[in-house]
Amino acid sequence: GNINDFVMISFLDYLHHQTKFVRLNLGLCPLAGLDEPSEESRNMVNSLLQFVYSNGSRFYSFNGLYRFKAKYLPQWNGRYVVYRGGLRGFTAAMNALMRAMRVKV
């Protein structure tokens, strides 16, 4: 059940001995932190993102990815997407991000 942890720790140990690295970027954790939105962040787009984070595990395990990376006690840094134009602007920004990351929808 912990083979992923074994592989990850073995890989990190190997890298450390080969390169003497001191930091590793585990990548992004999309939508992390949206499980409990604040009063000021409640709007249509944030509500939609919170719904996707909570219920989208059939398509992508946002919560599972967050839990997996959190085991290694990372230093989390926020990354934000800025857009304007309400839902239409949000959709355009997400489509641009998907194209940039070459994710097929």
Side-chain angles (χ1 to χ4, degrees), residues 10 25 47 68 74 78 95 97:
S10 297
N25 185 341
S47 295
F68 176 77
N95 284 334
L97 283 172

Side-chain angles (χ1 to χ4, degrees), residues 2-15 21 24-26 68-69 71-72:
N2 294 327
I3 191 70
N4 287 336
D5 294 323
F6 174 76
V7 170
M8 178 69 92
I9 298 299
S10 297
F11 178 65
L12 295 175
D13 187 53
Y14 172 80
L15 283 178
F21 76 94
L24 176 71
N25 185 341
L26 293 176
F68 176 77
K69 291 179 179 184
K71 289 188 290 189
Y72 301 104

Side-chain angles (χ1 to χ4, degrees), residues 3-70:
I3 191 70
N4 287 336
D5 294 323
F6 174 76
V7 170
M8 178 69 92
I9 298 299
S10 297
F11 178 65
L12 295 175
D13 187 53
Y14 172 80
L15 283 178
H16 178 69
H17 286 91
Q18 294 296 316
T19 65
K20 304 298 184 209
F21 76 94
V22 293
R23 296 182 75 165
L24 176 71
N25 185 341
L26 293 176
L28 297 175
C29 235
L31 306 182
L34 289 176
D35 46 351
E36 295 179 22
S38 64
E39 286 299 320
E40 43 298 333
S41 70
R42 289 181 194 256
N43 61 41
M44 187 173 163
V45 171
N46 284 348
S47 295
L48 175 65
L49 291 174
Q50 197 255 340
F51 178 81
V52 169
Y53 181 77
S54 300
N55 301 293
S57 60
R58 212 172 359 162
F59 305 105
Y60 187 87
S61 182
F62 297 105
N63 199 358
L65 179 62
Y66 176 80
R67 285 192 324 268
F68 176 77
K69 291 179 179 184

